[in-house]
Amino acid sequence: MTIRFLFSIVLIILCAACVDRITFDVGSSPSFAIVIDGSISDQPGPYKILVTKAFDIESKLSIKTPISVKRILMSDNLGNNEVLSEVTQGEYQTSPNGIRGTIGRAYKIQIELLDGRIYESVPDTLYPSGSVDSLYHTFKEEKTTEGATNYGFDVFFNSSAGDQNSYYFLWQFVGTFQVETHPELYTEPCGEGRCPKPLPCSSYVLGSNGFEYVKVCECCACWSNLFNDEVIVSDNQLVNNGRFTAVKASYVPINRWTFGFKVYAQVNQMSLSRQSFSFWKAVKSQKSATTSLFQPVTGKIPSNFIQTNGPSGPIEGIFFATSIYNKGIFITQRDIPNPSIIPISDLTFNDNCINLFPNSTTEKPPFWTD
């Protein structure tokens, strides 16, 4: 599992401001505020750090504004360190063979801004992940207020903390499904109508004798990810003899796309320190309290950064260390009591499959079986 799974939950929470907002109270300062999203795990790197400029929710500025910095240094308590490289503006990462998270060690990052400000995260200890013991689903049928019926699956899991006294965990759900499109049928304006023009990534070109097959299609099949829209955390008060039982991970809707083939449902159990748990608990509380765009948020989300140099300027966000255990199962059409409820549409999508859904890739996941 790569760090993009860890980042997925952060980006959804901080960027989906059109529905649920997480508001950082940055106060007033002559220096602009920045927000940091990042982590290190015991899974193979590279690990990523995202640096964005904070925004005024009443202004017309973009929700996220990535910014470049002078340097980001990641280190542990044994003296190992690595300077991260900027891959795109505001996105920094370690090398694939660079620093690696190890259980029991503490990690931090130091960030130097171009205006001379320097921030450091409070060292965060990487604790064992425990394990996801079982994963299961139940079919769900629900009437809407308009009289329609929605179908889907609730996904649940049982897990254990393992041999430890710390029961701070963050759980993430990732649902992967396959979609297929027909970019060879792409058209473009031509006179008063449209003329066929297969996309370069498709299997075909338009020759003098019609469509000619030239190569394997590079954009006909995609695998797209769904993520849980809630922050799922637990603590010592919710554990029973070191076990968590019947915890709902997410809901998977049944539609023409998700169950065109099948869905791979995966739960990632991520260990947290007490300080990183406080951050995610606050995020959960704020999202739970915010039920509309006009309801005020409650409480302040804690940050684990301190400023060590430069003109005073606020910083929010988190850098944390985590151990990850993941478990997944396939939900297939055979699990649907009546497969005829899967919607069928005559609509043909004739574009690159990447453009159909966010969080998509043309690279077949290693866990996917045909």
Side-chain angles (χ1 to χ4, degrees):
M1 170 177 171
T2 64
I3 194 63
R4 66 176 181 270
F5 287 129
L6 293 177
F7 256 76
S8 298
I9 189 171
V10 178
L11 294 177
I12 289 173
I13 293 170
L14 294 180
C15 299
C18 60
V19 178
D20 293 313
R21 292 178 174 174
I22 295 176
T23 306
F24 292 118
D25 180 10
V26 298
S28 58
S29 171
S31 300
F32 62 83
I34 63 170
V35 178
I36 306 298
D37 300 328
S39 62
I40 185 173
S41 78
D42 60 350
Q43 303 296 302
Y47 310 115
K48 295 183 180 180
I49 305 295
L50 183 66
V51 186
T52 55
K53 184 177 180 180
F55 66 97
D56 180 354
I57 63 174
E58 302 302 329
S59 75
K60 296 182 180 180
L61 296 179
S62 173
I63 291 174
K64 58 175 183 175
T65 306
I67 61 170
S68 298
V69 299
K70 184 177 181 181
R71 188 181 78 150
I72 297 181
L73 177 71
M74 186 181 294
S75 60
D76 66 18
N77 59 328
L78 298 184
N80 302 300
N81 61 73
E82 180 179 353
V83 175
L84 279 66
S85 301
E86 187 174 25
V87 291
T88 61
Q89 185 173 23
E91 183 179 318
Y92 293 79
Q93 71 175 29
T94 61
S95 64
N97 299 318
I99 193 170
R100 174 79 176 266
T102 303
I103 292 174
R105 296 185 187 179
Y107 296 86
K108 68 177 182 178
I109 57 172
Q110 182 188 73
I111 303 170
E112 297 184 36
L113 270 62
L114 299 177
D115 62 6
R117 284 183 281 168
I118 299 178
Y119 300 92
E120 284 190 2
S121 64
V122 177
D124 199 50
T125 301
L126 198 158
Y127 290 103
S129 65
S131 62
V132 178
D133 302 321
S134 60
L135 190 60
Y136 60 96
H137 53 77
T138 60
F139 178 74
K140 186 176 183 179
E141 179 178 341
E142 189 174 37
K143 292 286 186 180
T144 68
T145 55
E146 292 79 17
T149 304
N150 290 331
Y151 302 96
F153 290 94
D154 284 331
V155 180
F156 299 88
F157 65 89
N158 300 316
S159 71
S160 57
D163 298 330
Q164 59 174 314
N165 295 321
S166 174
Y167 302 130
Y168 299 114
F169 294 101
L170 170 69
W171 289 289
Q172 178 197 19
F173 172 84
V174 184
T176 303
F177 59 96
Q178 181 182 346
V179 297
E180 286 192 352
T181 61
H182 296 276
E184 75 277 7
L185 302 179
Y186 187 81
T187 62
E188 65 177 12
C190 177
E192 296 181 356
R194 299 186 68 87
C195 296
K197 186 177 183 181
L199 295 182
C201 61
S202 71
S203 306
Y204 298 86
V205 296
L206 190 61
S208 57
N209 297 320
F211 288 109
E212 298 178 6
Y213 182 86
V214 292
K215 62 178 179 178
V216 175
C217 183
E218 300 170 347
C219 58
C220 294
C222 280
W223 288 264
S224 184
N225 289 329
L226 299 170
F227 300 95
N228 52 302
D229 56 3
E230 296 182 1
V231 179
I232 310 173
V233 292
S234 194
D235 57 31
N236 295 339
Q237 297 176 341
L238 300 179
V239 69
N240 183 16
N241 295 322
R243 291 181 55 81
F244 303 89
T245 58
V247 182
K248 183 177 177 179
S250 192
Y251 171 78
V252 178
I254 295 175
N255 56 53
R256 64 165 295 205
W257 297 111
T258 54
F259 280 91
F261 295 88
K262 54 188 175 183
V263 175
Y264 186 76
Q266 177 173 296
V267 170
N268 305 316
Q269 179 164 298
M270 293 174 279
S271 63
L272 298 176
S273 66
R274 180 183 290 271
Q275 66 180 13
S276 57
F277 170 80
S278 297
F279 174 89
W280 290 111
K281 184 71 171 180
V283 171
K284 176 180 175 64
S285 297
Q286 187 180 100
K287 285 181 66 65
S288 298
T290 307
T291 57
S292 76
L293 295 176
F294 307 103
Q295 180 176 338
V297 297
T298 58
K300 178 177 173 62
I301 297 177
S303 171
N304 67 340
F305 288 91
I306 58 174
Q307 184 171 358
T308 62
N309 192 57
S312 178
I315 182 172
E316 299 293 344
I318 189 173
F319 171 78
F320 68 105
T322 181
S323 175
I324 306 170
Y325 185 100
N326 55 66
K327 189 177 186 66
I329 59 172
F330 279 106
I331 309 175
T332 70
Q333 293 182 2
R334 293 190 299 271
D335 295 309
I336 301 174
N338 181 7
S340 66
I341 66 175
I342 301 175
I344 298 176
S345 173
D346 295 331
L347 177 65
T348 299
F349 193 79
N350 61 0
D351 202 345
N352 185 329
C353 62
I354 289 290
N355 298 328
L356 184 58
F357 290 102
N359 308 310
S360 295
T361 177
T362 56
E363 182 177 347
K364 183 178 180 179
F367 54 75
W368 193 267
T369 57
D370 293 323

